[in-house]
Amino acid sequence: MREKIEQLLAEVEQLAAKKEQEIEEIRVRLLGKKGTITQLFDEFRDVLPEQKRELGQVLNTLKVAATKKIDELRTILDESMDADEPQYDLTKPGDRLDLGGRHPISVTKAEILSIFNKYGYDLAEGPEIEDDWHVFGALNFPPEHPARDMQDTFFITEGENPVLLRTHTSSAQVRAMETMKLPIRIVCPGRVFRNEAISARAHCIFHQVEGLYIDKNVSFADLKQAVLLFAREMFGEQAQIRLRPSYFPFTEPSAEVDVSCNICGGKGCNICKGTGWLEIMGCGMVDPNVLEANGIDSKVYTGFAFGMGVERIAMLKWQVKDLRHYFENDIRFLREFDTVV
Ligand code: PHE
């Protein structure tokens, strides 16, 4: 028996195989139910007790060596297969394509722009990094206006006409007045920056869409009509608006626009804090000082302007209570808008 074991051990060392089938045959031949090694274990039962200890050890060594060799042959075969030709399982279902969706702010911005586009407004854009003249000076901001303070605006340089991050997209309207021929009818979308503490209702970065219309005989009634049309397209046919007197350096008169609450229909709920109205934008007639500062004859031309925050409109449309969700880009929040694409 010992001889047989020694012989098998030598044989195991020499084993080689090129196919999975060959390896399986070796396994059956040696370790299968009727395999040579299995049979040796059967015979081992009849071995004399004094020989058991020694023979048992070699027999075990043989079994371990055979198992190890078979594993080795499998690994070698797997590796060579991986290298030569990749093994494709053509019956496997394919991976799902994760397409993603558009960001709710992009969706809202696109909707606002498409409404104004329909009414003949062109798109005008400007840089996010601006100078004092385009953000404040040309827009009739007095030199001591608080917006010109470090507390409210991110400055990049100091001096006469400092470089800064625009605080509103009205700067793009100034650039349009400089370059475009009259009449002008434009909407300016874009990112704006204000030095504010981040909270559920405020962020230091947000998005605006501002509009400007300059022509002969543009009146406050035209402004009101434009805002009403927008509100109805955005919030539904039943939407009503109301204007409250307000103040902006670049418009006179100025107003704040409220839209009737789209949740309770004006009866009063917790979204509109019981008032039935939601504030959506600022607007007004372009101040003659602004027209003149931009080389437009204020005796011949008049105009109106309006500006709204995209986050605010999106919040009202989808009842998102915390503005920060828009910037955190938590995939669970974004997925809620997948259908909006
Ligand atoms: N520029 C103003 C703002 O950022 C919005 C506005 C635009 C108000 C045009 C009136 C007219 O708050």
Side-chain angles (χ1 to χ4, degrees), residues 30-295:
L30 295 177
L31 297 162
K33 263 194 187 146
K34 291 187 185 138
T36 340
I37 297 177
T38 319
Q39 272 173 15
L40 280 174
F41 271 93
D42 287 344
E43 286 168 28
F44 179 71
R45 268 187 242 126
D46 305 328
V47 165
L48 293 174
E50 56 268 33
Q51 290 181 345
K52 268 210 160 136
R53 196 183 140 86
E54 198 212 327
L55 266 183
Q57 265 178 7
V58 263
L59 190 53
N60 253 330
T61 315
L62 172 64
K63 190 179 174 183
V64 170
T67 316
K68 209 174 132 202
K69 185 76 190 180
I70 289 169
D71 281 350
E72 255 173 49
L73 289 177
R74 284 228 163 88
T75 318
I76 293 168
L77 185 69
D78 280 354
E79 276 167 7
S80 72
M81 282 208 304
D82 284 351
D84 297 352
E85 55 183 275
Q87 299 292 296
Y88 295 117
D89 180 355
L90 299 176
T91 62
K92 256 181 149 179
D95 289 340
R96 200 171 74 90
L97 270 183
D98 234 347
L99 280 181
R102 286 166 66 206
H103 195 281
I105 293 303
S106 303
V107 174
T108 312
K109 185 180 87 175
E111 194 173 341
I112 299 170
L113 293 179
S114 92
I115 293 171
F116 285 107
N117 183 34
K118 206 160 75 182
Y119 292 113
Y121 287 74
D122 289 327
L123 191 73
E125 287 177 297
E128 291 174 356
I129 298 174
E130 265 292 5
D131 53 24
D132 182 277
W133 172 253
H134 289 90
V135 175
F136 302 126
L139 288 161
N140 200 35
F141 278 77
E144 72 287 0
H145 193 282
R148 287 180 142 158
D149 199 71
M150 297 275 277
Q151 229 106 69
D152 297 279
T153 302
F154 292 110
F155 284 90
I156 295 169
T157 65
E158 296 170 23
E160 266 284 293
N161 184 22
V163 175
L164 43 86
L165 295 181
R166 66 178 176 194
T167 58
H168 52 185
T169 52
S170 306
S171 50
Q173 304 184 334
V174 172
R175 291 190 178 272
M177 285 188 270
E178 284 170 355
T179 54
M180 288 171 81
K181 276 217 230 116
L182 294 166
I184 293 174
R185 195 180 351 217
I186 51 166
V187 266
C188 307
R191 264 201 305 195
V192 300
F193 309 84
R194 290 185 193 176
N195 195 356
E196 285 193 49
I198 296 169
S199 72
R201 297 191 50 127
H203 207 286
C204 57
I205 304 175
F206 61 101
H207 299 76
Q208 284 190 324
V209 175
E210 298 205 326
L212 174 71
Y213 176 35
I214 302 174
D215 203 346
K216 290 173 183 156
N217 299 320
V218 177
S219 73
F220 198 89
D222 297 325
L223 167 60
K224 213 174 145 187
Q225 184 64 11
V227 171
L228 180 64
L229 281 175
F230 167 74
R232 293 212 165 137
E233 297 245 4
M234 197 73 197
F235 295 103
E237 261 311 297
Q238 74 299 331
Q240 291 179 324
I241 56 161
R242 77 173 179 188
L243 302 180
R244 285 178 288 108
S246 185
Y247 173 79
F248 299 102
F250 34 89
T251 47
E252 181 60 35
S254 306
E256 212 84 56
V257 182
D258 294 342
V259 64
S260 50
C261 178
N262 56 331
I263 307 304
C264 62
K267 283 188 218 81
C269 64
N270 63 342
I271 300 288
C272 60
K273 299 203 185 74
T275 63
W277 296 97
L278 300 162
E279 189 189 316
I280 54 164
M281 65 168 98
C283 66
M285 299 305 292
V286 181
D287 194 300
N289 286 344
V290 173
L291 295 174
E292 296 294 338
N294 291 285

